[in-house]
């Protein structure tokens, strides 16, 4: 496979060739009054700029609308006309119906709520106002407190926190979302009490110690703890089935596994400019050409070692039997224990690239069990919140609380440091690209990116090989759809845990 270019694989190209004004645009931007639900105002004609955000590190989708108001947007209740911010009025929590179209005719269809109103400029002829928007659950999360006890699998807890309207005694305590859920099954359980925490706080707290159920990676145990919780919006493709708004609870291992999370788009960056989309003369097999492309190696050695990205030590104390134990998860090798499925071993992980960064062996410790750069301490919790009722026949069958009084509720040896390591491995390599606006893409989607490796031009003036170190599979960590009077663009921050280019599937 050849990537034709005379460039270096990093730079910027003009975006106007890919802008299609006959397809892209804002179809709907309706704000509904809090006081009178029958009263709405359209901001379509006054919208100057629209930005929409998704991120795997963000609980909610967000958007920003900047609009100009001449003071004649809507009728006053008495007589004359006034601005939307005064006439509706817009004070916060207003429902905003949004429909915008990208360069390909795909529609972003969202219902968001005003989180903040910011007047940017005001004079005698007009005002410019910015509305910060968020999802319903983002705002409702501030009004919900969890005091219920939860037992069982972590993925079941997530479903309950997001969808249940009432707790066991009939009080409304949960988010009760109507959005679709994409929740990956977990293999481990954890019992806990909400302790008056907010739903999003509890979900993110549980995500650090959740282990995949094995569907995406049978060798996941002891190696791939660490989940991410995020939201994606609703899109209606020009062709095909609509994608509803979703909440996702996904393992890092599952996101990196491109056998399961297959690349949604194949992107190339080169110097070709042929055709309206710049793809004329580009190699076969790619879907879109990147307009800008930058690569950032995020492996700061000192910071990665401080955070324990590749080797850690876990010291545990069991107060029931006073047992003291030490575990040293290591992503680089299995020599210190010889176990086939050694904790943290990268051979049991699903990587987006070919391997984790190869570190200098001069810095390895020669004493077994001493290879670590971060230490975590944990007091184990045997008998804490055990399952069962603790009486009668359950005790005879060994399923009651007394029978489980010696069983730890949380298993730090299998999840604690592995979650720390996996989360810190995720952002090893970061690529940022800008493409013509494409609203079918979402945070968490896999993307395949190729750019030419720096090389001396051949007689034909073209480099024939892609960059084999930074090219290949990535996932979208952050996404911004940008729309103005001149451009409809999508900017993607792509990340992965490893280096090396895996071959592109045809």
């Amino acid at each position: 496979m050849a990537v034709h270019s005379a460039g270096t694989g990093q730079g910027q190209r003009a975006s106007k060739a890919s802008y299609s004004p006959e397809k892209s645009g804002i179809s709907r931007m309706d704000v509904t009054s809090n006081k009178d639900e029958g009263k709405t105002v359209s901001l379509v004609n006054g919208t100057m700029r629209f930005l929409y955000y998704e991120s795997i590190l963000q609980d909610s989708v967000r958007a920003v609308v900047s609009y100009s108001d001449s003071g004649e947007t809507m009728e006053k209740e008495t007589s004359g006309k006034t601005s939307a911010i005064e006439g509706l009025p817009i004070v916060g929590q207003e429902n905003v119906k949004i429909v915008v179209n990208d360069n390909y005719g795909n529609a972003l269809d969202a219902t968001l709520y005003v989180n903040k109103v910011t007047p940017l400029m005001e004079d005698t002829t007009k005002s410019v106002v910015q509305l910060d928007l968020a999802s319903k659950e983002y705002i409702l999360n501030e009004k919900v407190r969890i005091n219920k006890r939860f037992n069982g699998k972590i993925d079941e807890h997530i479903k309950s926190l997001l969808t249940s309207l009432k707790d066991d005694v009939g009080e409304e305590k949960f988010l009760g979302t109507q959005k679709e859920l994409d929740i990956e099954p977990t293999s481990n359980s954890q019992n806990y009490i909400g302790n008056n925490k907010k739903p999003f706080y509890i979900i993110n707290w549980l995500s650090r110690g959740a282990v995949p159920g094995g569907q995406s990676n049978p060798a996941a145990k002891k190696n791939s703890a660490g989940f991410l919780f995020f939201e994606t919006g609703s899109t209606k493709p020009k062709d095909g089935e609509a994608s509803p708004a979703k909440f996702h609870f996904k393992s890092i291992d599952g996101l990196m596994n491109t056998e399961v999370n297959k690349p949604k788009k194949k992107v190339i960056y080169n110097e070709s400019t042929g055709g309206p989309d710049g793809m004329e003369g580009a190699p076969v097999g790619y879907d879109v050409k990147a307009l800008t492309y930058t690569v950032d190696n995020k492996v700061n050695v000192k910071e990665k070692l401080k955070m324990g990205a590749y080797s850690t030590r876990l010291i545990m104390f069991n107060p029931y039997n006073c047992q003291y134990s030490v575990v040293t998860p290591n992503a680089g090798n299995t020599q210190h224990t010889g176990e086939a499925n050694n904790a943290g071993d990268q051979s049991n992980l699903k990587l987006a690239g070919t391997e984790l960064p190869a570190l200098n062996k001069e810095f390895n410790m020669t004493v077994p069990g001493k290879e670590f750069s971060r230490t975590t301490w944990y007091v184990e919790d045997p008998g804490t919140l055990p399952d069962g009722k603790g009486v009668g026949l359950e005790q005879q069958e060994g399923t009651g609380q007394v029978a489980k009084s010696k069983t730890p509720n949380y298993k730090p040896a299998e999840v604690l440091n592995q979650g720390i390591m996996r989360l810190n491995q995720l952002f090893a390599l970061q690529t940022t690209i800008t493409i013509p606006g494409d609203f079918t893409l979402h945070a968490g989607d896999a993307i395949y990116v190729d750019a030419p490796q720096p090389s001396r031009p051949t007689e034909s003036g073209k480099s024939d090989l892609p960059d084999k170190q930074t090219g290949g599979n990535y996932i979208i960590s952050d996404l911004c759809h940008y729309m103005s009077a001149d451009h409809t663009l999508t900017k993607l921050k792509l990340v992965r845990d490893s280096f090396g280019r895996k071959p592109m599937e045809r």
Side-chain angles (χ1 to χ4, degrees), residues 242-286:
S243 173
K246 297 180 183 178
F247 279 108
H248 304 262
F249 186 69
K250 306 289 287 183
S251 70
I252 296 173
D253 211 56
L255 291 172
M256 292 292 111
N257 184 0
T258 52
E259 297 172 7
V260 176
N261 187 21
K262 294 184 179 296
K264 199 169 184 178
K265 295 285 183 179
K266 296 170 184 176
V267 182
I268 185 172
Y269 174 82
N270 62 12
E271 300 296 326
S272 67
T273 57
D277 57 0
M279 290 296 290
E280 186 176 314
V284 176
Y286 295 94

Side-chain angles (χ1 to χ4, degrees), residues 403-422:
K404 295 184 178 182
S405 62
K406 303 177 184 179
T407 304
N409 175 38
Y410 185 68
K411 298 180 180 179
E414 295 185 5
V415 300
L416 182 57
N417 280 22
Q418 285 69 38
I420 292 172
M421 292 169 65
R422 203 69 180 107

Side-chain angles (χ1 to χ4, degrees), residues 408-447:
N409 175 38
Y410 185 68
K411 298 180 180 179
E414 295 185 5
V415 300
L416 182 57
N417 280 22
Q418 285 69 38
I420 292 172
M421 292 169 65
R422 203 69 180 107
L423 287 166
N424 281 284
Q425 291 164 4
L426 176 58
F427 295 87
L429 185 63
Q430 178 178 300
T431 296
T432 303
I433 63 173
T434 304
I435 62 175
D438 187 347
F439 296 165
T440 63
L441 297 174
H442 296 285
D445 285 343
I447 296 288

Side-chain angles (χ1 to χ4, degrees), residues 18-94:
S18 297
Y19 176 62
S20 303
E22 69 278 5
K23 295 181 180 179
S24 63
I26 300 174
S27 301
R28 186 177 182 184
M29 191 72 66
D30 295 344
V31 185
T32 301
S33 170
N34 291 335
K35 296 175 65 176
D36 181 0
E37 294 183 359
K39 189 176 181 181
T40 64
V41 61
S42 174
L43 304 179
V44 168
N45 294 329
T47 298
M48 304 165 58
R49 185 177 64 175
F50 173 74
L51 297 97
Y52 171 87
Y53 302 94
E54 292 179 3
S55 173
I56 60 174
L57 301 178
Q58 189 169 276
D59 300 328
S60 165
V61 300
R62 305 293 295 274
V64 175
V65 179
S66 300
Y67 71 93
S68 175
D69 196 325
S70 63
E72 297 186 352
T73 302
M74 59 185 305
E75 299 288 340
K76 285 185 177 181
E77 292 185 0
T78 54
S79 62
K81 294 187 177 182
T82 186
S83 65
I85 197 169
E86 179 182 348
L88 201 58
I90 302 177
V91 297
Q93 294 190 352
E94 285 79 13

Side-chain angles (χ1 to χ4, degrees), residues 202-353:
I202 294 176
I203 291 172
N204 285 290
W205 173 68
L206 289 171
S207 68
R208 295 174 296 175
V211 179
Q215 288 83 354
S216 60
N217 181 9
K221 190 177 181 181
K222 295 187 179 181
N223 290 279
S224 55
F227 273 59
L228 297 168
F229 171 68
F230 56 98
E231 182 187 5
T232 58
S234 173
T235 55
K236 296 180 179 179
K238 179 183 177 182
D239 301 309
E241 189 177 346
S243 173
K246 297 180 183 178
F247 279 108
H248 304 262
F249 186 69
K250 306 289 287 183
S251 70
I252 296 173
D253 211 56
L255 291 172
M256 292 292 111
N257 184 0
T258 52
E259 297 172 7
V260 176
N261 187 21
K262 294 184 179 296
K264 199 169 184 178
K265 295 285 183 179
K266 296 170 184 176
V267 182
I268 185 172
Y269 174 82
N270 62 12
E271 300 296 326
S272 67
T273 57
D277 57 0
M279 290 296 290
E280 186 176 314
V284 176
Y286 295 94
D287 301 308
V288 63
K289 177 185 178 295
L291 307 172
T292 67
Y293 172 86
T294 58
V295 178
D296 186 6
N297 180 343
K298 304 297 287 187
V299 179
N300 180 315
V301 174
K302 181 178 179 181
E303 292 302 315
K304 289 293 184 183
L305 291 176
K306 284 171 61 177
M307 296 305 296
Y310 306 110
S311 59
T312 65
R313 177 177 64 170
L314 172 62
I315 298 177
M316 298 172 289
F317 176 73
N318 188 325
Y320 180 82
N321 56 19
C322 295
Q323 182 178 356
Y324 170 92
S325 57
V326 180
V327 180
T328 54
N330 192 305
N333 59 70
T334 61
Q335 295 178 0
H336 56 279
T337 64
E339 295 181 14
N341 187 19
N342 184 51
D345 177 18
Q346 68 170 307
S347 65
N348 294 298
L349 298 176
K350 294 294 184 180
L351 306 177

